[in-house]
Amino acid sequence: MIGTRGVPAQYGGFETAIEEIGARLVERGHAVDVYCRNPGQSLREHKGMRLINLPAVRKRSLETLSHSGLSVAHAVANRPDAAIVFNAANAPYLPILKAARIPTAVHVDGLEWKREKWKGAGARYYKRAEEKAAASGLPLIADARGIADYLMEAYGLTSHFLPYGAPIIDPGAERLSELGLDPRAYHLVVARMEPENHVAQIVEGYVSSHRDHPLVVVGSAPYGDEYMARIRSLAERGDVRLLGAVWDQEVLNQLYANSLSYLHGHSVGGTNPSLLRALGCGAPVTAYDVNFNREVTAGHASYFTDPQSAGEAITADEKDSKSAVARGVLGKAHAARAYRWDDVTDGYERLLLDLAHSRSR
């Protein structure tokens, strides 16, 4: 597993997928190596996976590429049966893996070149890297049907649709008091503070809505000081509680499970783990209206497109909390049927075994 921050999962979708899938592959008798760039990490094993900790240049534009370059060199020296490269940005290293005859698949992620933080040269690089991954001839993985459709439309390529799983959880509510919150008496946002996650739109909609309950915002702004300043400015106009990053998973699960609504503003990724966790916890979801979010929620959500519609959704849930809770119950049942980590692991296992057999052929 090459190209991510590694495990234990503390960052995003790729890391969550590796932790869930990798641990299950180990249980099925496979040896799994995960390349990690977690600073200061001393762990050498996690849930049976071997962790290979390698350095990276701590600069946004170079961090992924510098670490992936070292990871690919290590993989070439150690000859795994098969490899998965996460993130199409790592496409420059694919010819090295091909030349070394290491069977490889590429998880292309979402439409990274649309992210605001990569505008300009960064966006052009991501688009070109995506094109190189598509032209590599290697199997491609899409975690959403919307991404699979895009790959077909843009490049005429079929891909392996392998989504993420949803944790189905009943976490209780006893730790909400640590945050001064009561069950079903707050709205929730969990996201990195980036423009394409529409946190500012949600906060703006909240402060202009007719509401009695606070808005709780969880997440950090690793590269977005200017955007975070805008969110803070908007938050001053209402009862908006900016908690920053919450690393205690038990607390985070209870926040999801007991919210009156979970507002999900992500717009350019595929199947988002935060959205799946919200569904799996039974949170009433209000999602930004894009095809990825409609695909994952399958209609068991409200949707918004701007601050006004976000505010209207918040107002509606406060006026009819029973309907909001019922929406969460239906969403949880849907996630339990459609997004099972065991099923996802089946797909990865089939793909990896086929890759490994292709070497012998």
Side-chain angles (χ1 to χ4, degrees):
M1 309 290 198
I2 297 172
T4 77
R5 295 175 184 270
V7 294
Q10 294 181 329
Y11 193 73
F14 280 158
E15 291 76 19
T16 300
I18 287 176
E19 179 151 319
E20 296 287 348
I21 297 161
R24 285 170 171 79
L25 288 172
V26 168
E27 290 174 357
R28 298 179 186 193
H30 303 291
V32 179
D33 289 349
V34 181
Y35 289 91
C36 304
R37 64 176 191 264
N38 295 331
Q41 175 166 276
S42 59
L43 287 176
R44 293 293 178 266
E45 185 178 298
H46 177 65
K47 296 185 176 180
M49 296 171 278
R50 184 171 70 132
L51 310 188
I52 302 168
N53 295 293
L54 296 173
V57 176
R58 297 299 171 185
K59 185 178 179 182
R60 180 175 65 174
S61 58
L62 297 174
E63 186 172 349
T64 295
L65 281 173
S66 61
H67 180 263
S68 296
L70 292 174
S71 301
V72 167
H74 187 281
V76 168
N78 287 271
R79 312 294 298 168
D81 297 306
I84 296 179
V85 173
F86 292 81
N87 194 341
N90 293 311
Y93 300 120
L94 298 179
I96 298 173
L97 292 166
K98 289 182 70 175
R101 300 179 65 81
I102 296 174
T104 303
V106 185
H107 192 311
V108 296
D109 197 18
L111 308 180
E112 288 294 309
W113 47 272
K114 287 190 174 183
R115 292 188 184 275
E116 181 70 17
K117 67 182 179 182
W118 301 124
K119 65 182 177 181
R124 289 192 294 273
Y125 173 80
Y126 260 101
K127 189 68 171 73
R128 181 61 180 148
E130 178 189 278
E131 292 167 355
K132 284 183 174 292
S136 69
L138 298 175
L140 303 180
I141 298 170
D143 63 37
R145 296 198 185 279
I147 296 296
D149 292 343
Y150 165 76
L151 293 172
M152 175 57 72
E153 292 167 7
Y155 304 107
L157 295 174
T158 58
S159 54
H160 296 266
F161 168 56
L162 297 172
Y164 299 145
I168 308 303
I169 303 170
D170 295 304
E174 66 278 359
R175 298 193 63 186
L176 291 182
S177 59
E178 298 174 17
L179 304 173
L181 298 171
D182 296 315
R184 305 303 184 189
Y186 61 91
H187 305 277
L188 178 66
V189 177
V190 180
R192 288 200 292 272
M193 304 298 118
E194 297 172 344
E196 60 274 4
N197 292 343
H198 295 94
V199 180
Q201 281 197 6
I202 293 168
V203 175
E204 183 179 350
Y206 169 80
V207 299
S208 64
S209 67
H210 302 287
R211 81 286 174 192
D212 295 319
H213 301 316
L215 176 67
V216 177
V217 180
V218 174
S220 60
Y223 307 115
D225 292 341
E226 182 178 340
Y227 187 69
M228 192 65 210
R230 181 184 171 201
I231 292 171
R232 289 195 184 98
S233 177
L234 288 166
E236 292 173 356
R237 294 161 44 191
D239 187 2
V240 180
R241 306 181 188 183
L242 304 175
L243 301 188
V246 174
W247 300 114
D248 189 320
Q249 193 62 63
E250 183 181 48
V251 171
L252 193 56
N253 288 340
Q254 292 192 11
L255 281 170
Y256 280 118
N258 296 284
S259 62
L260 180 58
S261 73
Y262 164 71
L263 293 114
H264 183 80
H266 299 63
S267 62
V268 302
T271 300
N272 184 272
S274 294
L275 179 54
L276 287 174
R277 185 168 290 274
L279 289 168
C281 288
V285 170
T286 297
Y288 191 73
D289 195 359
V290 292
N291 61 334
F292 306 121
N293 295 336
R294 283 194 174 268
E295 174 187 330
V296 172
T297 58
H300 301 297
S302 297
Y303 302 95
F304 73 97
T305 56
D306 52 27
Q308 180 180 342
S309 53
E312 290 169 352
I314 289 168
T315 299
D317 284 339
E318 292 214 3
K319 284 184 176 179
D320 189 356
S321 60
K322 288 184 178 179
S323 293
V325 172
R327 185 169 82 244
V329 171
L330 291 172
K332 185 173 186 175
H334 160 67
R337 292 190 304 269
Y339 292 97
R340 290 167 30 88
W341 277 118
D342 287 342
D343 295 340
V344 174
T345 304
D346 289 345
Y348 273 88
E349 185 177 37
R350 285 192 296 269
L351 174 59
L352 286 163
L353 288 172
D354 190 54
L355 286 171
H357 293 156
S358 72
R359 166 187 271 177
S360 62
R361 290 197 298 270

